[in-house]
Amino acid sequence: MKKLLNDPYKYVDEMLVGMCAAHPEIYRQTGEGGRVIARAGSQRPDKVGIVSGGGSGHLPVFTGYVGHGLLDACAIGDVFASPSVEQMAEAMKVAHAGAGVLRLYGNYGGDVMNFDMAGEQLEMEEDIQSTTVLLADDVSSAPPEEGEKRRGVAGMVYAFKIAGAAAEQMRSLEEVTRIAQETADSCRSVGAALTPCTIPQAGKATFEIADDEMEMGMGIHGEPGVWRDKLKPADDIAHEMVDRLIADRAIDSGDRLSVMVNSLGATPPEELYILYRVVKKRVEELGATIVMPLVGRYATSMEMSGVSMTFCFLNQEREALLQAPARCAFWQVE
Amino acid sequence: MKVSWLQDQLPQLAEHLESSAEELNGLDAQLGDGDLGVTMVRGSRQLLEIREELPDDWGMALLKCAQAFTKTSGSSYGTILATGLMAMAKQKKGQAEMDSSEWAGLLKVALEAMQHRGKAKLGQKTVLDPVSAAQKKLESDPETGLLDLIEVVQQTIDEFRDKPCQIGRARIFQDKSIGLDDPGMVAFKRLLEGIVPN
């Protein structure tokens, strides 16, 4: 393991302190043990709160997306480990400004269990109304007929952005939840990994892969993918990823969608742009229009090298909300 | 019985779980991450800490017990246990009395909630199996005492020993789990043992 760290058990806590110190105008640390990140400043009264949460190791997901037009608060666990029920409940309390709270996060067993439990506790204790929308956009993680079993990956960035903008417009919890759900339903993602990453506390790589191999469809925690073979040329990889996405949801002529080509951590933007040119050509050949493409590091898996591709299908409402202003330390939309 | 009954049992429960910690960690380490004993000890220490503050309302008292586990651990077992306690808490909200005739009904709602949350089915070799066995026993004979329930739980542990675990992390080691007691089942037994009045 070759990492910049002190005590591996303090990895997450030291990271959060540094992140808040670097961007005090955006983030503040709260909750027991400081494992809740909330927006700096006070909540706008009667705005629906949006919270997310999950394990560390995916920056900017999840904590990074706390900010204006995005999330209100976030509970954060150790690297790749679920936050506790208590931390999730604290995040919800911080985000609640009188209009209820939407829990918006990825479909992982531990997170779902703990977040549901947190919601139940708050309902019983403090009468806070809350809803849940899960991202389940990774097409390789389960077949379409078992769509509810799919894992949530980079599609959640679109859900944070679009639901976040709806909440800023002071829409009701019901409306924000509907928009978040429709966004989640409109996202499809696929990933490919070239190298593993190392969880600081474990000290060894999450999986083994030969120097000249890649794995298509691998999850962001190293969950097994659909095939492993010799590394292919970039264009072949881009074509296959597009093929897999459109096999799951066809692109029709006239469709408008945003496309994300995302680095899983170590892959440089140069390589993402090599892939993007193929994606753009393919989408436009189908008669569709790309709106606000996102090429960069939006949802990562520590220092894994690899890429994920997400299509977010838009309608008029989602397109306007996607383009509404938002600001966090990792992403600004003006 | 009143909440004070529970308060009286908490010190010995905590003691019993402390002394079972090593056993539970060891069982868990063979199939999971080896921290089940830690989860139970942290939870029971927290229970001791809030013992004096437990409200008279059984609903709110059980909620606090659930939180003792969720507060101190992010582990799935802690959450599943807390889920069962929460389900019972909802049934008992606003009530200061609990009668042993209610146990069958309370365990039933707890079992349903735990099944729903953990997405596990009966027969997969999890804590749900002894909870279900205890619930059935109480349903058929509401007068069943704690000692008899513990016996039922032990029978379930014995019955499942040579079956493979089919869910959770242990399912990855299905074959390895054959012949091993399920750590969650054993933890449930230790919990019951801990609340038997001396």
Side-chain angles (χ1 to χ4, degrees):
Chain A
M1 176 169 61
K2 208 169 187 183
K3 273 181 190 292
L4 301 173
L5 54 72
N6 301 303
D7 177 353
Y9 288 88
K10 291 185 182 154
Y11 188 85
V12 170
D13 300 302
E14 292 178 350
M15 174 272 288
L16 292 174
V17 168
M19 193 177 93
C20 293
H23 312 286
E25 72 291 357
I26 298 175
Y27 307 117
R28 77 189 155 92
Q29 217 180 341
T30 175
E32 212 175 293
R35 288 301 186 90
V36 173
I37 297 295
R39 290 191 199 181
S42 53
Q43 287 297 103
R44 216 162 115 200
D46 298 323
K47 186 187 93 66
V48 167
I50 304 182
V51 300
S52 191
S56 292
H58 304 299
L59 273 179
V61 167
F62 303 80
T63 40
Y65 291 112
V66 170
H68 177 78
L70 296 159
L71 302 173
D72 293 276
C74 194
I76 195 79
D78 284 331
V79 174
F80 297 177
S82 180
S84 71
V85 173
E86 199 66 14
Q87 289 157 349
M88 287 168 164
E90 280 171 341
M92 289 170 64
K93 278 188 211 172
V94 172
H96 180 60
V101 176
L102 165 65
R103 295 181 292 261
L104 183 56
Y105 59 102
N107 188 26
Y108 293 90
D111 292 335
V112 173
M113 247 177 6
N114 288 351
F115 248 136
D116 283 354
M117 186 75 198
E120 251 180 64
Q121 288 190 4
L122 285 194
E123 207 169 295
M124 186 153 169
E125 258 185 326
E126 319 214 356
D127 212 14
I128 294 178
Q129 208 196 339
S130 61
T131 55
T132 296
V133 172
L134 294 175
L135 269 295
D137 51 314
D138 185 348
V139 300
S140 313
S141 53
E145 59 275 15
E146 293 181 303
E148 78 287 349
K149 288 189 182 165
R150 285 181 174 174
R151 300 182 292 257
V153 285
M156 75 178 77
V157 176
Y158 286 108
F160 295 164
K161 175 67 190 76
I162 290 170
E168 275 335 312
Q169 293 178 351
M170 303 302 279
R171 302 214 201 177
S172 66
L173 179 59
E174 193 185 337
E175 271 288 283
V176 174
T177 306
R178 171 187 66 80
I179 290 166
Q181 187 64 59
E182 289 174 3
T183 306
D185 294 343
S186 310
C187 286
R188 298 289 185 284
S189 299
V190 63
L194 310 186
T195 66
C197 63
T198 300
I199 300 174
Q201 293 183 7
K204 56 176 201 283
T206 47
F207 59 90
E208 283 175 17
I209 186 165
D211 260 358
D212 58 349
E213 281 181 335
M214 64 173 287
E215 183 154 334
M216 178 62 71
M218 179 166 262
I220 54 172
H221 309 98
E223 297 95 337
V226 288
W227 60 256
R228 178 181 289 203
D229 207 343
K230 297 286 177 218
L231 182 59
K232 295 182 178 180
D235 283 6
D236 293 0
I237 296 170
H239 279 294
E240 177 170 348
M241 292 178 97
V242 172
D243 288 342
R244 288 185 178 276
L245 292 176
I246 59 181
D248 202 78
R249 173 167 173 167
I251 294 180
D252 296 326
S253 175
D255 276 352
R256 296 175 71 78
L257 62 155
S258 181
V259 167
M260 182 193 291
V261 178
N262 169 58
S263 167
L264 292 178
T267 294
E270 283 83 349
E271 293 165 30
L272 303 178
Y273 286 121
I274 294 175
L275 299 175
Y276 182 72
R277 45 183 253 297
V278 174
V279 186
K280 180 173 161 71
K281 186 162 168 280
R282 289 287 305 274
V283 171
E284 290 182 346
E285 275 170 6
L286 293 165
T289 305
I290 296 181
V291 180
M292 213 171 110
L294 303 174
V295 180
R297 210 173 261 136
Y298 289 88
T300 65
S301 187
M302 309 283 291
E303 74 281 15
M304 189 189 277
S305 64
V307 62
S308 74
M309 196 180 288
T310 302
F311 289 171
C312 176
F313 290 83
L314 301 170
N315 60 9
Q316 220 173 3
E317 179 179 56
R318 286 194 293 279
E319 185 170 334
L321 292 168
L322 178 63
Q323 291 176 322
R327 180 161 188 264
C328 69
F330 300 85
W331 189 26
Q332 287 86 41
V333 182
E334 303 298 340
Chain B
M1 60 185 82
K2 297 187 187 305
V3 171
S4 58
W5 175 86
L6 179 64
Q7 284 169 313
D8 290 344
Q9 312 311 316
L10 288 180
Q12 63 179 54
L13 171 68
E15 206 184 303
H16 190 59
L17 291 176
E18 294 270 355
S19 61
S20 314
E22 212 169 307
E23 174 205 15
L24 294 176
N25 283 338
L27 283 172
D28 191 29
Q30 301 185 55
L31 299 168
D33 43 11
D35 65 352
L36 182 59
V38 178
T39 299
M40 301 306 286
V41 164
R42 282 191 180 156
S44 61
R45 284 185 191 167
Q46 181 65 21
L47 281 173
L48 269 190
E49 206 149 290
I50 59 164
R51 176 172 172 256
E52 301 292 330
E53 309 156 24
L54 285 182
D56 296 335
D57 175 346
W58 266 108
M60 296 316 273
L62 288 168
L63 170 70
K64 295 280 174 208
C65 293
Q67 286 171 334
F69 285 94
T70 58
K71 200 173 185 157
T72 51
S73 160
S75 94
S76 305
Y77 190 80
T79 303
I80 292 287
L81 203 61
T83 297
L85 290 167
M86 272 290 290
M88 296 197 271
K90 282 188 203 161
Q91 297 284 311
K92 294 298 290 176
K93 201 172 172 182
Q95 298 175 33
E97 275 294 338
M98 174 159 2
D99 190 81
S100 57
S101 65
E102 295 173 69
W103 288 2
L106 289 171
L107 265 189
K108 190 169 183 193
V109 293
L111 180 65
E112 281 165 6
M114 289 159 86
Q115 257 178 305
H116 181 72
R117 176 135 307 140
K119 313 259 182 285
K121 296 185 190 79
L122 290 177
Q124 292 183 320
K125 196 171 179 181
T126 68
V127 67
L128 297 178
D129 295 306
V131 173
S132 167
Q135 197 277 332
K136 284 205 178 88
K137 175 79 181 156
L138 281 166
E139 213 165 55
S140 65
D141 178 10
E143 297 301 311
T144 310
L146 266 172
L147 288 173
D148 290 329
L149 282 186
I150 291 167
E151 189 47 44
V152 168
V153 169
Q154 183 58 51
Q155 282 164 13
T156 314
I157 294 173
D158 296 340
E159 187 188 317
F160 276 88
R161 184 167 302 128
D162 291 329
K163 295 182 183 173
C165 176
Q166 294 172 39
I167 194 166
R169 197 173 314 190
R171 76 173 184 277
I172 307 166
F173 315 107
Q174 280 206 22
D175 293 341
K176 209 178 145 196
S177 68
I178 293 173
L180 295 177
D181 288 347
D182 176 66
M185 291 190 191
V186 178
F188 180 62
K189 183 178 174 223
R190 300 288 173 249
L191 258 182
L192 291 183
E193 286 166 353
I195 58 168
V196 177
N198 275 325

